[in-house]
Amino acid sequence: MMFNKKNFVKRLNTLMENNKTSQQSLEDAIGVSRVAVSQFAHGANLPSIEKIVRIADYFHVSIDYLLGLSDNPHRP
């Protein structure tokens, strides 16, 4: 499986929906603006590696899952 921006966008939106996470909550947790979170959620922009790690930590999923490289959300 290869990284694909669409996979990241889908996983991010699914995680936000399933966890009832607002853009503002994610913004506060990872230290970016609401505009940035909106851009991540719509695929207009991708987060830095540091922010990807923070997003994965926030949702307690593996980075590989968040990026669509694995279907297993659990961390090793």
Side-chain angles (χ1 to χ4, degrees):
M1 197 178 276
M2 282 182 101
F3 171 72
N4 179 319
K5 182 167 52 171
K6 288 180 185 180
N7 291 336
F8 169 78
V9 170
K10 182 177 179 181
R11 293 276 165 92
L12 177 62
N13 285 300
T14 299
L15 287 166
M16 288 179 69
E17 238 177 74
N18 290 347
N19 292 283
K20 296 179 180 22
T21 302
S22 68
Q23 288 186 356
Q24 183 166 355
S25 295
L26 189 57
E27 161 199 343
D28 293 341
I30 66 171
V32 297
S33 69
R34 195 172 316 165
V35 171
V37 172
S38 179
Q39 289 176 340
F40 302 159
H42 290 96
N45 199 357
L46 290 174
S48 67
I49 292 172
E50 177 187 332
K51 300 304 181 200
I52 289 171
V53 170
R54 287 184 182 185
I55 293 168
D57 286 346
Y58 180 81
F59 289 112
H60 306 288
V61 296
S62 71
I63 293 169
D64 284 350
Y65 176 79
L66 183 59
L67 296 178
L69 300 173
S70 168
D71 290 330
N72 182 359
H74 303 289
R75 297 176 180 195

